[in-house]
Each structure stands twice: as C-alpha cells, then as structure tokens.
Amino acid sequence: MTTRRTFLKGATALGATSLAAPYVHAQEPVTLRYLSTAVNQSPGIAQRAGEELGINIEYIAVTTDDVARRVITQPNSFDLVDTEYFALPNLIPSGNLKGMDASRIDRADQIASVIREGTVDGQQVGTDGTAPFEVLYLDSADGQSFAPEPTDFITLIPTTYNADTLGIRPDLIDGEVSSWSALLDPKFAGKAAILNIPSIGIMDAAMAIEASGGITYGDKGNMTRDEIDFTIDRLIEAKRAGQFRAFWSNFNESVNLMASGEVVIQSMWSPAVTAVRTQGIACKYQPLQEGYRAWASGFGLPRTIDGRKEDAAYEFINWFLSGWAGAHLSRQGYYPAVLETTKEVLEPYEWAYWYEGQPAEQDIMSPSGELLETAGTVRDGGSYADRMGAVACWNAVMDENQYMVRKWNEFIAA
C-alpha cells in the first residue's frame, strides 16, 4: 500500500519537485508572509517549499520581542508565525492566534512526546519554566486560555526544539568543564559571555548560580522577586569582578566571539556552534551534569487568516512535517517535530550520528555541504534520549517579567 509518507520518501529520493496539493497548484501561487526571528528562517526550506508546493515563502525577520509585538498589535501583517512556546502565555490572551484544527494536521499524533507530554522514552523531563505540553492546547478554536488536556485545537505546531547548554573552546581551555557553574568560574574571567535576552539569559544565570551553591530555586523559569534580586546581585558581583567579556544578543555576535577566541565559554545556540565548526575552529556544545535548558518553537496562525491563504498555510505545515525540512534542520543540530519522517529522509549514518549518539561512519556535512564533523566523531551530548531526556528547565516568561527585565537592565548597566 502506498501511503503519503512512502510516496514522499520515494519522491524525495528522485529529487521530485511537484509534491503539491492540487488545490494550491490549480491557481496562481500563494505567498505566505512568514514572521519569525532570522535564526528560524531558512532559504533552503523556502526554496524547496516553492518547488514542491508552489507556495512562495516571504520571510519577515524581526527580533524576539517584535515577533510578540506583531502578534498582539498587527495580526494582519503576517500569515504564519514561528514563535516560541514560552511566549504563548502573553500571546494567547490577545485572541490574535487561532486554535489550529488538529484534524487538518496529518501527523498531529506523531509529534514528539517531549512536546506533547513532556516525556522522553516514557520518562518525565524537567518542567521548570514553560514546558510545551502545558501550553499546547486551547479550549476552543478562538480560545484565550489553555486546556489542561488534549483538545482538537493546537496553539503551535512544532518547527524546531533543542536542549541548550554552554558552548566552549576546548582548545583554549585547560581541564574539563562539567557544570553550569563554570560560567561564573573566576578562571574564565574576561573570557565568558552571557546571552542578553533577559528571559533566557537569566535562566542560564540561574543554572550557573544554583550549580555554584547558595540557592535552590522554586522554579527557575518563574522566579519570585527575592530570587530575581539574589540572581541579579550575583551577576552584578561577577560583572564587577571582570567575569564577562560580552553580552551578546544575536546569532552572529555569539559566533564571532567564539570564533575569534575572545570568549572561551558562553551561552550558545546549537547552529552557532555549527557555524564556528564549519570555519574549522574547535567548538563544543558541552553536556553538563545539571542538565539542559530547553526551548521549542512552532507555527501559529493569525486569527485573520482564512480561505486560500489558510489552506496554503496548512499545506505548508503538513509538508514541513513530512521529512525533508526535518532532515535539513537536523543537519544544523536542531530537532524536528516528527522524528519518524525525518529518519526516512536522513541517510542511516546521519540518523545514527544525530539521534543515536553513534560515532559518524562518514564525514558529517552541514545543510550547505560544508564539512561539519569528520568520521568517527560523536555528537556533543550523545543521543536524542540522552540530550532531551536531561532537560532541567524550559524557556519561559515569568509572572514577574517586568520586574525581572528592569533588574536585568540594572545588571547590564552596572
């Protein structure tokens, strides 16, 4: 029996360029305005979608804060948004995102369990912060509150997620780094950097401070004012002692700091580590004993979308889950929503490297064809189960967010 999935696999192997919905191809091409941060936008995916679906993807790149601002104030300005799950407690009450119809998502029941249930191989992962399963469902299509149990209305369909840790330059560091506390270790004074996005940077700081001793947070993703004060006081103390070389706020800054050697340990994102490595520079995404800070992004639809645009958006999302995009993103170190279809498109040796923690049987290449890892290398942190199964907390927006941002800015200005 030929299923849509087996047909897709065969078509991909043959380099097919017309796997589109007849409805979309029967009319003039549709353009979807895709709102997200730049790091979530891939020209390769847009090109492939155009070839296979006849749908034009028009990227709108803005900052993390501006993604939220657009959703809340300008829902007519985009057709598809790729935003993080942690933003949803601020976005959903606006009523500007519609609940996505689960019956129109071909593989809704195949979305990874860590997103749907907060589990990996049946084991619960850490839920500090905003775990995706806590904000995955709405009580109705136009609901403005989350449902505690699965419903037919989904907030976001996952695009990518990952388990984040610290990036290090192993060639410039003496000894091993095994704990988040290393971010504040005086031995790295003047050579450390932290992410200057308050809601994420403070969680990296909390991981480091808790690992250093002196405090145990109730919820690192939703601190009390006293916990925020304690955290910021510790950061200001470290800053005045010369601990931090920089406070980066975008992808390229983090890459340049690490590639230049100005920084040897810092908050980092997986594709930034990839970018440093493809320059032939040693860079490691270091697994740490306290676990990972995780995040997840997903596609949402504005309440204003309807008709042909809405049909095209669902078609693009279903294509995104069907394998090619998942494989493309896996080669950057991300994880996709549906593992089964991704496995069908990746070469067996790639799947073994990226997902099973096996030594690479062949050289591992980036999506653009650059050498990423040589044969014999094992992925930093090991298998999918080892990495996602060790999640300690998730990105979040705190109840005391305004207070936290004010205190964070005091730290940056100190």
Side-chain angles (χ1 to χ4, degrees), residues 59-259:
Y59 285 130
I60 303 171
V62 298
T63 66
T64 299
D65 288 343
D66 281 340
V67 170
R69 193 171 295 114
R70 286 257 199 148
V71 171
I72 292 171
T73 65
Q74 301 176 60
N76 280 311
S77 69
F78 62 94
D79 306 306
L80 193 66
V81 62
D82 187 350
T83 188
E84 290 204 47
Y85 282 84
F86 80 77
L88 289 176
N90 286 341
L91 302 182
I92 291 301
S94 74
N96 285 344
L97 290 180
K98 64 167 57 179
M100 300 177 70
D101 183 350
S103 70
R104 298 187 67 178
I105 304 297
D106 295 345
R107 297 176 174 84
D109 61 347
Q110 291 180 273
I111 291 172
S113 64
V114 74
I115 302 296
R116 289 186 293 107
E117 305 166 356
T119 63
V120 175
D121 290 346
Q123 299 298 310
Q124 189 77 43
V125 303
T127 58
D128 274 14
T130 304
F133 76 92
E134 297 173 328
V135 293
L136 188 58
Y137 300 100
L138 294 178
D139 51 15
S140 65
D142 57 357
Q144 293 176 272
S145 59
F146 302 109
E149 301 293 336
T151 70
D152 293 331
F153 308 104
I154 300 175
T155 54
L156 301 176
I157 298 298
T159 49
T160 56
Y161 55 99
N162 213 337
D164 279 0
T165 183
L166 298 175
I168 66 170
R169 281 287 302 269
D171 56 326
L172 301 179
I173 286 178
D174 292 327
E176 291 191 6
V177 171
S178 61
S179 171
W180 277 88
S181 62
L183 187 63
L184 299 176
D185 190 330
K187 73 183 282 188
F188 299 124
K191 292 287 188 177
I194 196 167
L195 172 61
N196 189 18
I197 296 176
S199 61
I200 305 174
I202 198 167
M203 294 187 73
D204 282 355
M207 291 291 284
I209 292 168
E210 189 173 75
S212 301
I215 188 173
T216 299
Y217 295 91
D219 183 336
K220 287 183 281 294
N222 197 20
M223 298 180 195
T224 65
R225 288 199 174 199
D226 285 345
E227 289 172 334
I228 292 168
D229 290 344
F230 182 89
T231 303
I232 297 302
D233 287 347
R234 286 290 300 274
L235 287 173
I236 290 174
E237 179 184 333
K239 182 182 180 184
R240 287 176 173 164
Q243 184 68 16
F244 302 111
R245 170 66 181 82
F247 309 96
W248 63 266
S249 57
N250 68 62
F251 177 90
N252 289 330
E253 285 178 310
S254 71
V255 171
N256 293 337
L257 286 167
M258 195 63 95

Side-chain angles (χ1 to χ4, degrees), residues 350-405:
E350 292 180 300
W351 177 264
Y353 171 80
W354 288 112
Y355 287 88
E356 295 178 347
Q358 298 297 317
E361 293 182 2
Q362 302 179 34
D363 289 348
I364 299 295
M365 312 304 286
S366 74
S368 58
E370 299 166 295
L371 178 65
L372 182 58
E373 300 288 1
T374 57
T377 304
V378 175
R379 181 178 185 174
D380 294 343
S383 69
Y384 175 90
D386 286 343
R387 299 176 88 254
M388 291 308 303
V391 166
C393 59
W394 296 83
N395 285 1
V397 174
M398 300 180 187
D399 292 343
E400 293 283 1
N401 182 65
Q402 289 185 327
Y403 180 77
M404 183 276 293
V405 171

